[in-house]
Amino acid sequence: MDEKPKYWVACSGGVDSVVLCHLLHEQGIRFGILHCNFHLREAASNVDEAFVRELAKKLEAPIRVKEFQTEEYAVEHGFNTQLAARELRYNWFDEVIESEAVTILIAQHFDDQMETFF
């Protein structure tokens, strides 16, 4: 894929974002994948990253992975870990949107009330 995508999917490796990637691929919509590795679940965080990288390869989608030191950020800013991860993620997404004039798609399950609100 030579051209930059105009859509990026925020993909955690969870069912909701993986389904969104597959739906876009099946519809022939060009997209890329953004994955955040927050390093919060020891080796499992790296397993998630490897899964998302393999998904991108399978769907022939470009991928960008950003690694964060979330716990350090939380302490520095006086946040709980979840709030720190959310701020880090959305700050990165804002940078991508501003620098590339793209749309970032975020898949959410019904019970994810906080992010659904935002």
Side-chain angles (χ1 to χ4, degrees):
M1 184 181 306
D2 295 333
E3 295 180 38
K4 290 185 179 180
K6 72 178 210 178
Y7 298 107
W8 287 93
V9 175
C11 185
S12 63
V15 172
D16 45 2
S17 56
V18 171
V19 167
L20 178 57
C21 289
H22 281 284
L23 290 171
L24 292 170
H25 180 73
E26 288 174 9
Q27 293 299 310
I29 297 171
R30 191 169 37 89
F31 69 97
I33 295 175
L34 300 176
H35 177 74
C36 300
N37 186 334
F38 295 109
H39 294 286
L40 293 173
R41 296 178 299 113
E42 300 178 11
S45 293
N46 294 329
V47 169
D48 289 345
E49 179 181 329
F51 172 80
V52 174
R53 286 185 183 278
E54 187 59 33
L55 175 68
K57 185 177 177 181
K58 177 181 176 183
L59 299 179
E60 299 178 341
I63 183 169
R64 293 186 192 163
V65 175
K66 180 102 172 181
E67 295 192 33
F68 297 102
Q69 299 306 317
T70 311
E71 290 176 338
E72 291 174 17
Y73 185 87
V75 170
E76 288 173 13
H77 292 84
F79 295 154
N80 67 41
T81 305
Q82 184 177 10
L83 182 58
R86 183 175 296 117
E87 182 165 297
L88 288 165
R89 175 175 59 242
Y90 286 117
N91 286 347
W92 181 39
F93 295 167
D94 286 343
E95 290 172 17
V96 172
I97 291 166
E98 288 178 23
S99 68
E100 299 178 26
V102 294
T103 300
I104 296 178
L105 306 175
I106 301 171
Q108 310 250 294
H109 55 81
F110 183 75
D111 291 333
D112 197 350
Q113 296 173 0
M114 180 61 89
E115 286 194 359
T116 300
F117 173 77
F118 290 110

